[in-house]
Amino acid sequence: MLAEKSLYRIGMLSKLADVSPRTIDFYTSIGLIQPETRSAKNYRLYSDETLIRLKRIVQMKKDKYSLDEIKENINVWRKVSSEEQVSSKLTDLQLHLEQLQREVKELEPVLSQMKPQQAKQVFKRLVPQTAACVEALVLLLNKGGLM
């Protein structure tokens, strides 16, 4: 027996995602989200998957991504996997890595002005966690046949 999907009209979707109904209309008009179906009275109805995507879009906006960058990321991840859960996790990981790259670029001028001993202390604490993260990413990429 298949589980019944939750469907939301714009008002409920906007409350659940904490965005305005106008934002949902706009995102629909530019193709970032799309209704699952229409009701008998022709209301657009959105699914749980759309709610997840909408929350991801909101987070990306908070992380200072442009709408074009958001659309590109969403389209890339849609092509990679039809599994929403895997796609969501990988998108979150990609976004987090991109945010870390931005933060590292912001730190580079500060680190270059540190005394060698200060920089050594900072890197000494950073290296074990970084190495573990890089190793985990390499393992993930190897499992996916990407390396």
Side-chain angles (χ1 to χ4, degrees):
M1 183 168 155
L2 293 173
E4 202 172 302
K5 279 188 173 183
S6 295
L7 295 175
Y8 311 102
R9 287 177 37 186
I10 288 177
M12 180 56 71
L13 184 66
S14 72
K15 286 179 186 171
L16 293 171
D18 198 26
V19 297
S20 72
R22 287 186 63 183
T23 298
I24 293 172
D25 282 335
F26 178 67
Y27 289 169
T28 301
S29 72
I30 64 171
L32 280 176
I33 61 173
Q34 57 192 20
E36 182 82 14
T37 188
R38 288 195 175 259
S39 71
K41 293 185 179 183
N42 209 28
Y43 290 112
R44 286 176 283 177
L45 299 174
Y46 296 89
S47 66
D48 286 324
E49 289 82 14
T50 304
L51 176 59
I52 292 166
R53 177 180 293 211
L54 190 54
K55 287 180 178 181
R56 194 178 312 157
I57 292 167
V58 168
Q59 184 58 51
M60 290 175 78
K61 287 293 291 175
K62 285 180 185 173
D63 291 338
K64 308 283 190 248
Y65 283 83
S66 71
L67 288 175
D68 286 336
E69 290 172 319
I70 291 170
K71 194 170 193 174
E72 184 178 317
N73 274 300
I74 286 174
N75 288 337
V76 166
W77 285 109
R78 189 182 311 149
K79 291 176 192 171
V80 170
S81 171
S82 62
E83 299 293 326
E84 186 65 31
Q85 192 173 24
V86 171
S87 178
S88 175
K89 291 286 184 190
L90 290 174
T91 299
D92 291 345
L93 180 59
Q94 178 189 17
L95 296 175
H96 190 68
L97 287 171
E98 289 173 5
Q99 182 63 31
L100 288 173
Q101 285 177 323
R102 289 184 184 130
E103 291 174 14
V104 166
K105 284 182 182 178
E106 291 173 8
L107 281 176
E108 285 176 350
V110 175
L111 291 172
S112 67
Q113 294 181 6
M114 287 181 145
K115 294 178 183 172
Q117 194 60 26
Q118 290 174 317
K120 188 175 182 180
Q121 288 294 84
V122 169
F123 285 115
K124 196 176 193 180
R125 288 183 297 206
L126 180 68
V127 171
Q129 294 93 351
T130 304
C133 182
V134 169
E135 186 177 353
L137 286 171
V138 168
L139 287 172
L140 177 66
L141 292 172
N142 281 335
K143 280 186 178 181
L146 299 172
M147 288 185 71

